[in-house]
Amino acid sequence: MTTKVLPLLEPETVAPCCPPLSERPLTAEEAERTAVMFKALGDPVRLRLFSLVASHEGGEACVCDISDVGVSQPTVSHHLKKLKEAGLLSSERRGTWVYYRVEPSVLAAMGALLAGAGKAA
């Protein structure tokens, strides 16, 4: 039996959405992009799924490992789709399972956006 080596695909990188809130006011376009991300995380099930993926060993999680969040599997799939559409998750199909990951650049961008926002002048 011959083993075929498949090329490794680099994940898409997500550019930071905008500068820290304490740096300058957001433009209308930056506010729109950022609102989509926070709106996606505004649902408790989505926030929990995002947290499960982000904290999973190896930085990625099979849908089979994160589907026990108190809602049906179709609802989990719907919420994961919304997180992907918002640019918060990426996914890869491996056989019959789909693996999700949070790109480090997304977490860094969200952290940078809020960094220093609570500091007094």
Side-chain angles (χ1 to χ4, degrees):
M1 175 163 50
T2 305
T3 303
K4 183 178 179 182
V5 177
L6 298 175
L8 187 61
L9 298 176
E10 292 297 321
E12 294 178 22
T13 58
V14 177
C17 66
C18 37
L21 293 175
S22 59
E23 186 176 301
R24 65 167 172 78
L26 299 177
T27 66
E29 183 180 311
E30 290 169 338
E32 282 292 325
R33 273 194 317 240
T34 304
V36 168
M37 289 192 322
F38 283 109
K39 182 177 180 182
L41 291 175
D43 181 281
V45 173
R46 287 187 203 141
L47 184 57
R48 186 158 178 223
L49 286 168
F50 185 77
S51 172
L52 285 167
V53 173
S55 64
H56 203 271
E57 185 178 335
E60 70 175 9
C62 174
V63 69
C64 60
D65 294 329
I66 59 170
S67 59
D68 187 21
V69 291
V71 296
S72 68
Q73 181 57 46
T75 303
V76 168
S77 295
H78 167 77
H79 286 303
L80 289 169
K81 178 182 174 189
K82 292 294 186 183
L83 289 167
K84 274 187 67 174
E85 289 172 350
L88 296 169
L89 293 180
S90 59
S91 66
E92 178 184 353
R93 180 171 289 283
R94 298 181 197 156
T96 58
W97 297 109
V98 177
Y99 287 77
Y100 290 89
R101 73 185 132 299
V102 175
E103 297 300 332
S105 58
V106 170
L107 291 176
M110 293 177 78
L113 174 72
L114 298 174
K119 292 181 183 176

